[in-house]
Amino acid sequence: MPTPTTNAVARKSTDTASLAARKALLEARIEQQRIDVLVNAEHWRHATQGIDAFYHAVLRWKAPLYGIAGIIAWRSLRRPKGVRRLAGRAFGLAMTARRLRRIIK
């Protein structure tokens, strides 16, 4: 019959080996997950690039847009029909420009 001391030492070395193997497996999984997160982050960055560019353009023009909106609001209080007519013309011009760009492409 083996002595308890020998059995405990063998069990301890087996446990240490299995723990080391498990640790290596978990570290490999964590590293793969980090790579996946980096790849997905780059994918999202590329997918939202247009939205981000538009947002930064709006931020760049924020003060002038506030000024224009204030002038339009002030004019609409004084002459509501004129602002509606101007808005209709601006909308028509924007749609015409959009149609022309599509035709040219």
Side-chain angles (χ1 to χ4, degrees):
M1 177 162 194
T3 61
T5 320
T6 309
N7 193 14
V9 170
R11 191 175 342 127
K12 184 176 180 183
S13 67
T14 305
D15 289 345
T16 305
S18 72
L19 285 176
R22 187 169 179 226
K23 180 180 176 182
L25 179 66
L26 289 173
E27 286 176 348
R29 285 179 60 191
I30 289 170
E31 186 63 29
Q32 184 60 44
Q33 288 173 355
R34 286 181 181 160
I35 292 170
D36 291 342
V37 166
L38 289 173
V39 168
N40 288 334
E42 183 61 30
H43 173 74
W44 275 103
R45 212 173 290 120
H46 179 70
T48 60
Q49 186 176 11
I51 297 169
D52 290 339
F54 177 74
Y55 176 74
H56 289 294
V58 167
L59 284 182
R60 205 171 26 250
W61 292 96
K62 186 165 81 169
L65 287 174
Y66 280 160
I68 292 169
I71 291 170
I72 291 172
W74 179 68
R75 285 196 53 135
S76 71
L77 290 175
R78 295 190 70 221
R79 296 186 199 111
K81 289 182 182 178
V83 173
R84 272 189 240 132
R85 186 174 58 228
L86 182 64
R89 287 180 183 169
F91 182 71
L93 182 64
M95 290 298 112
T96 303
R98 183 178 174 200
R99 174 82 41 126
L100 287 173
R101 268 190 281 151
R102 284 187 177 179
I103 289 172
I104 292 172
K105 284 184 183 183

